[in-house]
């Protein structure tokens, strides 16, 4: 810690009733000038049956701003309390930034039912920008002494899926420029009455697409709530967006503004020529009819019902034959977006705290199908190869129990049979390999069905698949690479005969009517999704003996 960090003083916090009497109590607090004469951040809160309603704000004059809330008939007035946070270094930019960070962390708190602010205004470089995180953390810890339920340990919040998909993350300059460009483009199209526009955001796993889209959804909903929708074709992720939108007041009930694509496509009530439709993970959209969707291309059907479609897309995360986009169709989509100035590319890796050498090692393994020398001196990322899956699992559980390591789960390629259970069935499908046996793919009973798979405490005792983990982060992931991935004659090969994932190994009917196997695209994508989940570490066990041997040898040679 630097001398400057050590010298930063502790914030002053007043905890008073949200009332005229509460304002008078602020006059009696030591160092009251930091609360009454400086910019402050304030949090209004009320609790009922263990659930909270919270409002976060910042102001240059806490007395005047609080009286404005009274005049506005703020719904938190009766029986509410208020924290007022002051600091000797507070200025307008710093309070705006800390206000935004409180919104970020409180979004991830499950005991908050409603969270209000109506502003998304993160700041960038200012004095004293470098002090913001420390002042926030000191404020949070001090608040925790007053209300532990409202302000749990920061790491607990950071592991929550709502936190990870919150619209209040501070964007990188690349994300900020993309967000600014898209919002300006939306305004231009709506004001000029332009024909439909497809805005395509491309980026690899971990490049920040979800955070960007969540930020856009919040900002555009505040401007155009009636006709702004979020579509996502991933069961786990749609729960997350639904809960965020309801908590932030973007929708009154679940599935009103956030829903699966088919629900939007088939329902006539969503017909409106000014719809703004955001599509998370557009690579998961069906490009062939399946189940309740009988059309031919979900993206085209969405486009027909909207003025503007904003879609994030990564072709290396297409996992099913029904989602496969033929090369010429993909080129047409990209060219159309590019020709209209609507192609956005995110290139920076944000998820993994790994060196470029480690990222290149994973990509070379998956897509070039080669095992190159093991990464050296990656002090921030824990990459390990194991020769015993039980040892790997035990070390992962230790990481999961450690608050510093946080949320960790074991994953596997889809090489073990799994089918939806019939009613009354008690036998569980399992991943069984070399002495390790775990239930497989979201079968364990949960006390909270609204949590994503990774967040449920019981799933540390289960192996997850691409279908439960895609779109989510883990701090540490342990991946069992099943028998569909082998090493032969100096190359990694993908063997569809040993995969249980029929969605990846069945033939796809192309536009020309021919049936073609595309597992050589889909199985690498499956492995890529699994190997890129871990923020701080990746553990690997390979079932195939030759693959395991060459991976272990690579590790020994560093």
């Amino acid at each position: 810690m630097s001398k400057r960090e050590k010298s930063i003083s502790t914030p002053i916090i007043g905890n008073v009733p949200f009332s005229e009497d509460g304002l008078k109590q602020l006059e009696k607090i030591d160092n009251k000038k930091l609360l009454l004469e400086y910019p402050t951040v304030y949090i209004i809160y009320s609790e009922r049956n263990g659930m909270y309603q919270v409002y976060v704000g910042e102001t240059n004059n806490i007395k005047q701003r609080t009286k404005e809330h009274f005049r506005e008939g703020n719904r938190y007035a009766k029986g509410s309390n208020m924290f007022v946070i002051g600091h000797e270094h507070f200025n307008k930019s710093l309070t705006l930034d800390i206000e935004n960070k409180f919104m970020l962390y409180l979004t991830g708190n499950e005991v908050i039912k409603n969270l209000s602010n109506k502003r998304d205004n993160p700041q960038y470089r200012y004095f004293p920008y470098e002090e913001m995180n420390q002042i926030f953390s000191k404020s949070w810890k001090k608040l925790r002494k007053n209300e532990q339920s409202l302000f749990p340990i920061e790491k607990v919040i950071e592991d929550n899926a709502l936190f990870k998909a919150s619209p209040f993350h501070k964007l990188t300059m690349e994300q900020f420029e993309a967000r600014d460009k898209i919002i300006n483009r939306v305004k231009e199209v709506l004001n000029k009455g332009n024909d439909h526009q497809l805005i395509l955001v491309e980026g690899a796993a971990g490049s920040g697409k979800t955070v960007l889209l969540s930020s856009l959804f919040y900002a555009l909903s505040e401007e155009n709530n009636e006709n702004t929708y979020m579509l996502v074709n991933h069961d786990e992720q749609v729960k997350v967006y639904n809960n965020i939108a309801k908590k932030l007041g973007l929708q009154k009930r679940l599935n009103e503004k956030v829903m699966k694509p088919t629900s939007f496509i088939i329902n006539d009530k969503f017909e409106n020529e000014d719809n703004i439709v955001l599509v998370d993970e557009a690579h998961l959209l069906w490009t062939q009819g399946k189940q309740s969707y009988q059309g031919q291309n979900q993206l085209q059907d969405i486009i027909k019902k909207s003025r503007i479609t904003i879609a994030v897309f990564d072709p290396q995360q297409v996992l099913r034959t029904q989602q496969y986009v033929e090369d010429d169709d993909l080129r047409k989509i990209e060219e159309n977006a590019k020709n209209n100035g609507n192609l956005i590319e995110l290139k920076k890796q944000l998820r993994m705290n790994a060196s470029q050498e480690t990222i290149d090692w994973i990509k070379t393994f998956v897509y070039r199908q080669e095992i190159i020398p093991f990464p050296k001196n990656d002090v921030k990322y824990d990459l390990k190869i194991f020769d015993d899956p039980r040892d790997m699992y035990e070390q992962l559980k230790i990481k999961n129990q450690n608050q510093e390591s946080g949320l960790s789960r074991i994953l596997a390629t889809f090489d073990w049979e799994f089918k939806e259970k019939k009613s009354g069935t008690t036998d569980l499908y399992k991943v069984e390999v070399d002495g390790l046996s775990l239930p497989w793919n979201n079968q364990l009973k949960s006390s909270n069905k609204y949590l994503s798979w990774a967040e449920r405490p019981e799933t540390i005792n289960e192996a997850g698949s691409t279908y439960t983990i895609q779109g989510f982060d883990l701090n540490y992931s342990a991946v069992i690479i099943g028998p569909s991935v082998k090493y032969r004659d100096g190359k990694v090969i993908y063997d569809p005969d040993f995969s249980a994932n029929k969605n990846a190994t069945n033939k796809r009917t192309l536009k020309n009517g021919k049936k073609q196997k595309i597992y050589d695209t889909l199985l690498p994508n499956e492995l890529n999704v699994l190997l890129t989940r871990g923020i701080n570490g990746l553990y690997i066990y390979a079932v195939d003996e030759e693959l395991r041997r060459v991976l272990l040898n690579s590790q020994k040679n560093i």
Side-chain angles (χ1 to χ4, degrees), residues 426-462:
T426 57
D427 291 339
L428 300 181
Y429 292 99
K430 293 185 177 181
V431 173
E432 296 182 306
V433 55
D434 295 342
L436 179 67
S437 178
L438 292 172
W440 171 225
N441 206 35
N442 207 7
Q443 295 180 92
L444 295 180
K445 290 183 179 180
S446 175
S447 58
N448 193 335
K449 63 181 180 179
Y450 296 108
L451 290 178
S452 66
W453 176 83
E455 293 178 284
R456 299 173 192 166
E458 68 274 7
T459 58
I460 187 61
N461 302 312
E462 187 172 52

Side-chain angles (χ1 to χ4, degrees), residues 490-512:
K491 295 284 289 185
V492 176
I493 65 168
Y494 296 93
D495 188 343
D497 293 337
F498 286 83
S499 173
N501 188 0
K502 301 303 181 186
N503 285 315
T505 58
N506 285 342
K507 290 183 178 180
R508 164 68 188 253
T509 302
L510 304 181
K511 287 188 302 181
N512 60 15

Side-chain angles (χ1 to χ4, degrees), residues 352-478:
M352 300 168 66
N353 291 329
S355 67
Q356 189 60 48
E357 186 183 8
T358 297
I359 293 168
D360 290 344
W361 185 89
I362 293 170
K363 293 299 181 184
T364 302
F365 175 11
V366 174
Y367 289 112
R368 283 175 45 192
Q369 297 171 236
E370 298 174 6
I371 307 298
I372 59 176
F374 211 71
K376 298 178 181 178
N377 303 319
D378 194 340
V379 295
K380 292 184 178 181
Y381 199 78
D382 186 12
L383 176 64
K384 286 183 183 177
I385 312 299
F386 286 79
D387 60 1
D388 187 330
R390 294 166 297 184
D391 183 28
M392 180 175 77
Y393 181 46
E394 290 304 317
Q395 290 197 35
L396 182 83
K397 287 194 290 185
I398 293 170
K399 292 293 185 184
N400 186 64
Q401 292 168 358
N402 187 322
Q403 287 185 349
E404 293 300 315
S405 302
L407 192 67
S408 303
R409 290 294 182 268
I410 192 164
L411 312 170
T413 53
F414 213 110
D415 294 350
W416 288 267
E417 184 182 13
F418 174 82
K419 296 178 183 177
E420 294 297 331
K421 290 183 296 196
K422 295 180 180 179
S423 178
T425 301
T426 57
D427 291 339
L428 300 181
Y429 292 99
K430 293 185 177 181
V431 173
E432 296 182 306
V433 55
D434 295 342
L436 179 67
S437 178
L438 292 172
W440 171 225
N441 206 35
N442 207 7
Q443 295 180 92
L444 295 180
K445 290 183 179 180
S446 175
S447 58
N448 193 335
K449 63 181 180 179
Y450 296 108
L451 290 178
S452 66
W453 176 83
E455 293 178 284
R456 299 173 192 166
E458 68 274 7
T459 58
I460 187 61
N461 302 312
E462 187 172 52
S465 72
T466 49
Y467 301 122
T468 50
I469 201 62
Q470 188 173 28
F472 291 89
D473 297 343
L474 297 167
N475 282 313
Y476 277 75
S477 62

Side-chain angles (χ1 to χ4, degrees), residues 228-430:
T228 301
Y229 301 92
M230 171 73 84
L231 309 183
V232 57
N233 204 25
H234 188 290
D235 291 336
E236 298 294 316
Q237 197 72 351
V238 78
K239 292 177 188 176
V240 172
Y241 280 124
N242 251 313
N243 289 330
I244 288 175
K246 195 166 185 297
K247 179 177 287 192
L248 297 178
L250 304 182
Q251 60 181 14
K252 294 179 180 178
R253 59 187 181 277
L254 299 179
N255 301 310
E256 181 183 22
K257 296 294 180 182
V258 177
M259 67 198 76
K260 300 284 287 283
T262 299
S263 299
F264 178 82
I265 291 167
I266 66 177
N267 198 322
D268 292 339
K269 74 176 182 180
F270 298 122
E271 295 285 353
N272 189 301
E273 62 181 16
D274 286 331
N275 283 338
I276 302 171
V277 181
L278 300 96
V279 186
D280 193 17
E281 300 195 274
H283 40 268
L284 301 182
L285 292 176
W286 301 122
T287 56
Q288 281 188 338
K290 180 179 173 64
Q291 298 172 348
S292 61
Y293 176 66
Q294 298 302 315
Q296 294 303 311
N297 188 305
Q298 285 186 324
L299 181 58
Q300 292 302 322
D301 290 343
I302 292 165
I303 287 172
K304 291 174 185 176
K305 296 184 70 170
S306 61
R307 174 66 63 82
I308 301 162
T309 304
I310 304 166
V312 299
F313 186 79
D314 177 9
Q316 290 187 337
Q317 292 194 63
V318 174
L319 300 176
R320 303 172 185 249
T321 57
Q322 299 95 335
Q323 298 161 350
Y324 180 72
V325 183
E326 295 184 41
D327 289 343
D328 59 335
D329 287 338
L330 180 58
R331 280 194 296 271
K332 288 177 184 176
I333 293 170
E334 291 174 330
E335 286 174 5
N336 176 268
K338 189 173 183 179
N339 291 339
N340 287 305
N342 294 338
L343 179 62
I344 310 287
E345 294 181 276
L346 299 180
K347 298 178 180 178
K348 190 173 180 181
Q349 168 61 242
L350 301 176
R351 174 185 294 133
M352 300 168 66
N353 291 329
S355 67
Q356 189 60 48
E357 186 183 8
T358 297
I359 293 168
D360 290 344
W361 185 89
I362 293 170
K363 293 299 181 184
T364 302
F365 175 11
V366 174
Y367 289 112
R368 283 175 45 192
Q369 297 171 236
E370 298 174 6
I371 307 298
I372 59 176
F374 211 71
K376 298 178 181 178
N377 303 319
D378 194 340
V379 295
K380 292 184 178 181
Y381 199 78
D382 186 12
L383 176 64
K384 286 183 183 177
I385 312 299
F386 286 79
D387 60 1
D388 187 330
R390 294 166 297 184
D391 183 28
M392 180 175 77
Y393 181 46
E394 290 304 317
Q395 290 197 35
L396 182 83
K397 287 194 290 185
I398 293 170
K399 292 293 185 184
N400 186 64
Q401 292 168 358
N402 187 322
Q403 287 185 349
E404 293 300 315
S405 302
L407 192 67
S408 303
R409 290 294 182 268
I410 192 164
L411 312 170
T413 53
F414 213 110
D415 294 350
W416 288 267
E417 184 182 13
F418 174 82
K419 296 178 183 177
E420 294 297 331
K421 290 183 296 196
K422 295 180 180 179
S423 178
T425 301
T426 57
D427 291 339
L428 300 181
Y429 292 99
K430 293 185 177 181

Side-chain angles (χ1 to χ4, degrees), residues 96-140:
L96 282 168
D97 224 9
I98 287 181
E99 172 197 42
N100 199 74
K101 192 157 186 174
F102 270 111
M103 288 295 291
L104 167 63
Y105 274 71
L106 293 172
T107 302
N109 189 340
E110 295 169 8
V111 302
I112 296 178
K113 184 177 181 180
N114 301 111
L115 178 62
S116 300
N117 172 268
K118 301 301 181 187
R119 180 169 57 191
D120 170 28
N121 196 13
Q123 303 297 294
Y124 285 89
R125 294 292 177 181
Y126 54 85
F127 179 82
Y129 166 83
E130 67 277 7
E131 295 181 2
M132 191 274 289
N133 286 331
Q134 193 179 4
I135 293 174
F136 172 82
S137 189
K138 285 189 173 187
S139 300
W140 186 275

Side-chain angles (χ1 to χ4, degrees), residues 166-182:
S166 170
F168 299 103
H169 282 278
K170 184 185 283 284
L171 303 181
T172 65
M173 189 54 67
E174 181 182 54
Q175 290 171 315
F176 178 78
E177 290 174 352
R179 180 182 184 272
D180 197 42
K181 180 178 179 179
I182 292 169

